[in-house]
Amino acid sequence: MNYPAQAAVLRGQSVPMSIEPVIIAKPRFDEVLVKIAGVGVCHTDMVMRDGLLPIPRPVVLGHEGAGRVLAVGSAIDDLAPGDHVALSFSSCGQCPSCDLREPAYCHSWVPLNFFGARADGSTAITAAGGEPVHSHVFGQSSFATHAVVHRRNAVKVDRDLPIELLGPLGCGIMTGAGAVLNALKVRPGSSIAVIGVGAVGLAAVMAARIAGASAIVAIDRHPSRIALARELGATHAVAADGRDIAEIIASLGIAGLDYALDTTGVVPLVEQTISALAPRGEMALVAAFAPGAKVGLDATHVMSGGRVIRGVVEGSADPQTFIPQLLAYHRAGKLPFDRLIKTYPFEDILTAIADGEEGRVVKPVLLMPD
Ligand SMILES: [Zn+2]
Ligand SMILES: [Zn+2]
């Protein structure tokens, strides 16, 4: 059977998404139907909304969903109706990166996550008038009461956790924490700067503390985020005031950064941060850049000190193992990601998006009606 549902459908470039009745297809043999309990709003949703990442329309965005399994496809024997799942990105499971358990670098990443369809081009959502609506954004399209996802991007989680808040573990929290723990592998006693402390940056700050970094510098233009970064483990939290990042780092008495993480995608900030790296310093770029953005490097600075600049997608994480690891840190009180969250009813999606974009809220999460 197919399932009646509600979804926030985005139809045009300048028309805001609006909640409509839709039909969700029953899961295929390798898919899971999830009743979404809550879904985070991620910056990448806005990048897609604004067409900076081209996505076909009409489409349902949303890629930080979590909820309860309603039905499973015939080939699935390790998930059952009633199980709680956090959703993450999609990957193919058979390319060289997936073979290495690096699904964030799946060779089919773009089609599986950004084409608004399954790998075969079909969608799982139909509008009330019978028109197909693009689905499977990041493998999930969870700005909706229901989502059909591939088994690979549903991660089973314990039922005693507040399922409605777990969706951001599948993107924003994973991106920041994973960049620190999986990609940079921050060493105890080291220094790290996090440029921009929205949800991704604050997750990175918490992870840097878990990793035992001794100097954790958070830089942001929002005073409320600076204050939160300090509470969550930043040893130095600095308001961006137009000063060069390298000047800020030097003013803190840090001779050079062992690690840096850019969450802003602002090219001058990236270039300034590279210049502040210590010998063997390593910098991770995790934000979406404007199409065609170019970063200028002082080649001698990079070469002579053995410095490393690397891109990191989704925290270089395998969600099936990393989300449980993040939840273990959360249970131990080391990753209080719930402190970043403000919840909104689904119908207030446009308010939630605006609050996130204007920096009033770090991580808006939409609560779905039962
Ligand atoms: Zn995201
Ligand atoms: Zn793959």
Side-chain angles (χ1 to χ4, degrees):
M1 71 179 261
N2 295 324
Y3 298 81
Q6 302 276 320
V9 180
L10 179 68
R11 292 182 172 279
Q13 190 70 45
S14 51
V15 188
M17 54 188 94
S18 68
I19 297 174
E20 301 179 9
V22 296
I23 299 294
I24 305 272
K26 72 176 177 37
R28 292 184 174 178
F29 73 100
D30 53 0
E31 290 182 329
V32 182
L33 174 72
V34 179
K35 171 75 179 69
I36 300 295
V39 53
V41 176
C42 176
H43 179 66
T44 309
D45 291 310
M46 307 305 109
V47 173
M48 290 187 280
R49 175 200 63 188
D50 296 340
L52 298 171
L53 236 169
I55 191 128
R57 293 148 203 251
V59 64
V60 175
L61 302 177
H63 63 278
E64 290 188 349
R68 297 172 183 85
V69 173
L70 274 189
V72 299
S74 57
I76 294 175
D77 56 10
D78 56 353
L79 275 181
D83 282 344
H84 289 192
V85 287
L87 306 182
S88 193
F89 60 86
S90 193
S91 58
C92 78
Q94 46 207 345
C95 71
S97 293
C98 286
D99 281 349
L100 291 169
R101 302 197 62 138
E102 292 274 12
Y105 307 108
C106 176
H107 291 213
S108 298
W109 169 269
V110 171
L112 287 176
N113 290 283
F114 296 134
F115 280 10
R118 297 185 183 94
D120 67 0
S122 64
T123 94
I125 307 177
T126 309
E131 163 201 25
V133 174
H134 288 281
S135 65
H136 287 76
V137 170
F138 273 92
Q140 51 178 286
S141 288
S142 46
F143 285 163
T145 55
H146 300 66
V148 165
V149 305
H150 193 277
R151 173 66 187 92
R152 282 179 61 78
N153 48 314
V155 179
K156 190 172 173 178
V157 296
D158 292 340
R159 292 194 195 197
D160 64 323
L161 296 163
I163 187 63
E164 68 278 7
L165 302 184
L166 302 190
L169 292 173
C171 185
I173 305 301
M174 185 163 79
T175 294
V180 167
L181 298 172
N182 301 328
L184 294 174
K185 295 186 166 63
V186 166
R187 292 185 306 275
S190 61
S191 61
I192 179 170
V194 180
I195 314 304
V197 281
V200 171
L202 288 169
V205 165
M206 290 187 273
R209 187 188 216 179
I210 290 169
S214 57
I216 304 171
V217 183
I219 301 177
D220 198 283
R221 57 199 161 100
H222 296 289
S224 61
R225 293 182 178 188
I226 290 297
L228 189 52
R230 193 172 285 119
E231 289 175 36
L232 294 175
T235 55
H236 306 76
V238 184
D241 56 3
R243 270 188 303 160
D244 189 295
I245 301 284
E247 195 185 316
I248 292 174
I249 299 301
S251 75
L252 299 174
I254 296 169
L257 294 165
D258 297 315
Y259 303 99
L261 181 73
D262 177 73
T263 74
T264 69
V266 176
V267 168
L269 299 182
V270 171
E271 292 173 346
Q272 292 163 18
T273 308
I274 292 170
S275 74
L277 290 175
R280 300 190 74 253
E282 188 166 350
M283 176 158 186
L285 308 180
V286 308
F289 285 89
K294 300 266 195 301
V295 171
L297 295 175
D298 178 331
T300 302
H301 172 71
V302 172
M303 178 272 160
S304 65
R307 296 173 176 91
V308 176
I309 320 297
R310 60 168 298 179
V312 179
V313 174
E314 297 285 355
S316 294
D318 178 348
Q320 296 292 346
T321 51
F322 196 55
I323 288 177
Q325 189 183 332
L326 292 175
L327 286 169
Y329 287 132
H330 179 67
R331 283 190 193 277
K334 296 177 175 176
L335 192 78
F337 66 88
D338 49 313
R339 293 194 56 195
L340 316 186
I341 290 175
K342 180 180 174 189
T343 60
Y344 298 76
F346 185 33
E347 61 262 32
D348 291 343
I349 181 169
L350 297 180
T351 307
I353 288 171
D355 285 355
E357 287 192 295
E358 286 158 31
R360 287 189 287 271
V361 173
V362 176
K363 175 56 71 181
V365 168
L366 304 168
L367 300 180
M368 293 298 159
D370 280 333

